Amino acid sequence: MGDAGNNTKTYDVEEHPFELRHEVKRLNARLDKIADSLEKLEFKDILENYTDPKKRIITNLMAGISRGLGLSLGTFVILGLLGYILSLFLNVPVIGEYLGEIKKYIDANS
C-alpha cells in the first residue's frame, strides 16, 4: 500500500540482469556526454565569472572599450577608403561634377 503512489520501477537482478546492465551502460554513456559538454562549455569558468561582481564589471568594461575602439577605427578606415575611391571618380562627367561640389563644400567647412 505504501508503494501505490511511487512510480519508480524496481528490478530484481536475478530476473533482469541483462536489462539492468544495458540500462546502466546507457546511463553511463549519457552522463559521459553531459560531462563532456559541460567541460567544453567551461561551465565552471562561467559560474566563477558571473558570481564574482568584480570580474563581471571588469569584463564588461573591457568589452565596452574594445567595441568602442573597434567601431571607431573601423568607421575611420571605411570612410577613408570610401573617400579615396570617390576621389578617383572626380574626372567622370556626371558623377565627377556632383562629387566635385561635395568636395568643395567639405573643403570650405573644414
Side-chain angles (χ1 to χ4, degrees), residues 29-65:
R30 206 169 190 188
L31 285 173
D32 287 340
K33 285 181 184 178
I34 291 171
D36 288 341
S37 62
L38 287 177
E39 285 178 11
K40 287 178 185 175
L41 293 174
E42 298 175 358
F43 193 68
K44 180 182 173 188
D45 293 335
I46 292 171
L47 280 179
E48 287 176 0
N49 284 333
Y50 282 103
T51 55
D52 186 11
K54 284 183 183 178
K55 281 186 180 180
R56 243 171 62 200
I57 290 171
I58 290 172
T59 302
N60 287 329
L61 179 68
M62 296 308 287
I65 290 171

Side-chain angles (χ1 to χ4, degrees), residues 79 81-108:
L79 288 177
L81 285 173
L82 184 63
Y84 173 73
I85 291 171
L86 287 177
S87 70
L88 297 175
F89 290 104
L90 286 176
N91 295 331
V92 176
V94 176
I95 301 171
E97 293 171 7
Y98 179 70
L99 293 176
E101 289 178 22
I102 293 175
K103 184 177 178 187
K104 287 178 190 175
Y105 178 76
I106 291 172
D107 290 338

Side-chain angles (χ1 to χ4, degrees), residues 1 3 6 8 14 20 22 26-28 30 34 41 47 51 54 58 64-66 70 78-80 87 89 109:
M1 285 192 158
D3 291 332
N6 193 356
T8 59
E14 299 300 324
L20 283 176
H22 180 68
R26 191 177 66 81
L27 289 174
N28 281 339
R30 206 169 190 188
I34 291 171
L41 293 174
L47 280 179
T51 55
K54 284 183 183 178
I58 290 172
I65 290 171
S66 300
I78 294 298
L79 288 177
S87 70
F89 290 104
N109 290 326

Side-chain angles (χ1 to χ4, degrees), residues 14-26:
E14 299 300 324
E15 291 179 17
H16 305 287
F18 178 75
E19 287 85 2
L20 283 176
R21 277 187 258 138
H22 180 68
E23 187 72 19
V24 168
K25 284 181 182 180
R26 191 177 66 81

